[in-house]
Amino acid sequence: MQALNPTPSGNPATASEATALAAAAPGWSFSERPPSLFRRFEFASYAQTRTFLDRLAELQESSGVTAQNINFGRTYVNVTLSATGAALSPAEYALAAELGRLATA
Amino acid sequence: MQALNPTPSGNPATASEATALAAAAPGWSFSERPPSLFRRFEFASYAQTRTFLDRLAELQESSGVTAQNINFGRTYVNVTLSATGAALSPAEYALAAELGRLATA
């Protein structure tokens, strides 16, 4: 599993890398312009939403990757991760994969 | 200044109350359908954004009022407070006023 420690190399993932990495981040939708990953997480309670948001904040700190936008209400969190360079880097895909694991844990 | 302790009475503020309360929450835009308050807060750094978000979470807990939507990126937070009943109650206006003070503190 892609460990969450690749510092944001900023080097864009190559096409084959992107395909491999996208496989590691199921449930996310990818868009080209700008290159970004989007996913909606839904929760049974506000407390679960809060727990996810707090972990997401910690993961952003530890990974150095900051979501381009986070949009949440009582029981949902929409996360958009955008490329800082020309393309998404392994660090964004790793954060996406980690958030996916977090939400299903 | 409106103290932040009116538990969400759910009783809609009367028209004159709404006017008075809106005066206590400058900087917010009010919309009718659904009755809600919206404001965009901008910050100089992600650290300031984080501090505001953490305080916002605490205020939601202490006031019992949960924003209908919070949408944020590195240096901005968009907050939407919606009525839970037919109209906004003093508790929503009080939270709006408190967030305004927080952002200018």
Side-chain angles (χ1 to χ4, degrees), chain A residues 66 69-72 74 76, chain B residues 66 69-72 74 76:
Chain A
T66 307
N69 179 271
I70 294 169
N71 176 322
F72 67 95
R74 272 189 87 77
Y76 69 87
Chain B
T66 307
N69 181 270
I70 294 169
N71 176 322
F72 67 95
R74 271 192 88 79
Y76 68 87

Side-chain angles (χ1 to χ4, degrees), chain A residues 50 54 57, chain B residues 47 49-59 102:
Chain A
R50 254 316 349 134
D54 293 341
Chain B
T49 304
R50 257 305 1 128
T51 303
F52 181 81
L53 286 166
D54 293 343
R55 275 297 289 142
L56 169 54
E58 287 163 16
L59 286 172
L102 194 65

